[in-house]
Every structure is written in structure tokens, then in C-alpha cells.
Amino acid sequence: MQKKMTISSIQKAKDVKKLTMITAYDALFAKLFENIADFILVGDSLNMSFAGKNDTLSATLDQMIYHTNAVCEGAKNTFVICDMPFGTYNTKEEALKNAIKVYQNTKADCVKIEGGVNKAHIVKELCDNGVAVCGHIGLLPQAFRGEGGYKIKGKDEESALSIIEDAKAIEKAGAFMIVIEGVKADVAQRVSQEVKVPVIGIGAGVDVDGQVLVFSDMLGLFEEFTPKFVKKYLDGASLVKDAVSRYKTEVQDSSFPQKIHTY
Ligand code: KIV
């Protein structure tokens, strides 16, 4: 059995081994990922791949708590990260109240919040009050409407410097790990070199301290669209459809159930 990671072992892993994060939203998949992935992220991406919405914005704190509980049940031995959904950490007071709600109602090991310099005071407030925080910088899915779309970051030096500032600000505020999304690879590499905490990339190239993928993307289960940064390790949708079609055929021609499936 793999040893459950702790904040200290996560931080010690930097420059020693690459870290693997994957999302999960239920106990079934969480159990499959247990003892393989280093951490499980209960991402607000569940609003898209699980709830069928077009973006993450309408995910609620209660939904995140429900799914985090399911994941913690399925993967009792894995470090679990609960995403704070859009609109739940706008002020220090609100952020602390909502993060405490997550801690009191789930076994999540930390929360994740999107933002850099503009959210450093929130990160500090949570960390000062005993809540572990994983930051999230670069392309921020919760800001996509405000920014007029999902935009890759770090395309010029000004943008690169601002991402590095973001990373340094949330590290100083107490974030023990940082997810960096949708950033030019050379900029993500600079970020990883500029901070002491592990930097976990998604669409940010290989020169960071680990990777995160949404499980339904990498298993090929989500068919709506496939971002450039996703590698499909399984053609899950075809496998599932093929299995269900064979089941239907066998129901229709009465070749299922057989004697071995019958009492
Ligand atoms: O919600 C999510 O799954 C995420 C990952 C894309 C990092 O935040």
C-alpha cells in the first residue's frame, strides 16, 4: 500500500520525484485511483464532466462537500483536495467560514482556491486559521467569463512576470502547493524554479513538479471536447458504449442472463 502523502512529504518531494494528481468526484473512481495517484482533486470541473454544465461557475459548496465526502470514503488513504467553488472566497470572512464548513463536513486534507496576488490575503487568512491551501494560478476557469474566454497565459514577458508574482505572493501567504494551468511551458518552468513549493501543471508543459489531469478527459470518457493538453490514456467512451451495446444485444436475443447468472 502507498503511504498517504502529507503536507510535509509533498513539500519534500520537490526536485526528488514528480507528483501525480488526478480528479475524482465519487467513491468508485477514487478507489480505483487510490495507491496510484499521489493526490485526488475534487475539482469544480465536476460541474462539467459530472453535472453536464458548460462551465464550473454554478458548482456550489454543498455539491463540493457531497462529492468530497464520496471521494474520501473511496480513497481513505489518499491526500484529498477540495476545490472551493466560484463565489465562495471573495472576502476573508466568507472564505474562512466556507473553508471551515469544508473541513467540518469532510475529511479533505486541504482546499484549493484560484488566484494570485489578488487572493494572497485570502490564502493567508485560511492558513493563519489552520486551513491548508493549494493555490491555482495561470488560466483560472472561474474567471473565464470575466476575462471573455479561456486564455493561455504567459505569452509575453509582462504576463510571465505577473504569473511569477502570483506564485510568489501565494507561497508567501502560506500555500503549500500550487496548481498552474494553461501557461506557456517556459513560464511554468520559471515559476517552478522561483518558488520552493511544488508546482503542479495542467497545460503547462513538462518542466514543473507534477501533473494534474481531469480523470474523465484522460480516460476518454468526456466527449464534448478535448483540450490540446489532454492525453487520452484510454478510449473510455468507446469501451463503455461497446459494452452497453453488447448488453442490449444479449438482452434482446435472450443470451443474457445465462444459467450462471440465474438462481
Ligand atoms: O476543477 C478542476 O478539475 C481543476 C483542475 C483542472 C486543476 O481545477
Side-chain angles (χ1 to χ4, degrees):
M1 192 166 32
Q2 192 171 279
K3 207 166 170 219
K4 179 174 172 171
M5 294 213 85
T6 60
I7 288 175
S8 151
S9 66
I10 290 167
Q11 296 197 304
K12 284 187 191 141
K14 182 152 176 139
D15 299 328
V16 176
K17 70 161 191 168
K18 293 258 188 162
L19 297 164
T20 307
M21 187 190 292
I22 190 165
T23 69
Y25 317 125
D26 60 34
L28 184 69
F29 276 95
K31 202 166 198 151
L32 294 174
F33 305 151
E34 170 123 287
N35 294 320
I36 304 174
D38 292 307
F39 344 83
I40 295 181
L41 167 65
V42 188
D44 59 358
S45 53
L46 65 81
N47 210 43
M48 298 167 81
S49 53
F50 186 89
K53 303 280 179 10
N54 286 332
D55 57 52
T56 61
L57 301 190
S58 56
T60 67
L61 193 65
D62 286 342
Q63 284 168 343
M64 297 310 300
I65 287 173
Y66 174 86
H67 288 278
T68 300
N69 270 320
V71 167
C72 291
E73 280 303 316
K76 293 194 170 68
N77 190 43
T78 303
F79 191 98
V80 172
I81 301 157
C82 172
D83 233 352
M84 297 292 287
F86 179 62
T88 61
Y89 52 95
N90 289 338
T91 64
K92 288 200 287 189
E93 295 70 27
E94 197 179 31
L96 186 57
K97 183 176 86 159
N98 288 327
I100 286 174
K101 190 169 170 189
V102 170
Y103 263 23
Q104 287 182 333
N105 290 283
T106 75
K107 291 192 175 127
D109 295 285
C110 74
V111 299
K112 175 167 83 57
I113 71 171
E114 293 184 8
V117 171
N118 64 334
K119 285 286 186 281
H121 62 297
I122 305 277
V123 174
K124 184 165 185 335
E125 177 75 2
L126 298 185
C127 295
D128 283 352
N129 286 284
V131 179
V133 178
C134 171
H136 184 152
I137 59 172
L139 186 159
L140 307 179
Q142 292 177 8
F144 94 96
R145 219 180 272 175
E147 292 191 355
Y150 297 98
K151 305 220 167 95
I152 300 303
K153 300 287 167 68
K155 287 186 172 169
D156 55 38
E157 187 57 16
E158 193 188 341
S159 168
L161 289 175
S162 130
I163 296 165
I164 293 167
E165 278 308 294
D166 283 339
K168 285 183 172 172
I170 58 173
E171 175 184 49
K172 186 161 178 241
F176 73 95
M177 177 164 70
I178 299 174
V179 167
I180 187 164
E181 178 167 0
V183 166
K184 297 289 279 182
D186 58 316
V187 178
Q189 180 181 23
R190 281 165 71 187
V191 169
S192 167
Q193 288 165 348
E194 292 275 353
V195 295
K196 291 195 179 67
V197 297
V199 175
I200 310 296
I202 175 163
V206 75
D207 292 314
V208 285
D209 306 304
Q211 298 290 329
V212 51
L213 280 177
V214 171
F215 88 92
S216 42
D217 288 340
M218 59 88 69
L219 295 181
L221 292 165
F222 186 68
E223 289 190 294
E224 311 306 311
F225 61 91
T226 308
K228 177 182 164 74
F229 60 79
V230 170
K231 177 170 177 183
K232 285 192 183 180
Y233 286 85
L234 188 75
D235 191 1
S238 300
L239 290 172
V240 168
K241 285 180 191 178
D242 179 55
V244 177
S245 300
R246 284 189 286 118
Y247 166 55
K248 181 180 176 182
T249 304
E250 294 187 6
V251 168
Q252 288 179 332
D253 67 14
S254 296
S255 58
F256 175 82
Q258 295 170 325
K259 271 219 171 81
I260 51 160
H261 309 118
T262 306
Y263 296 106

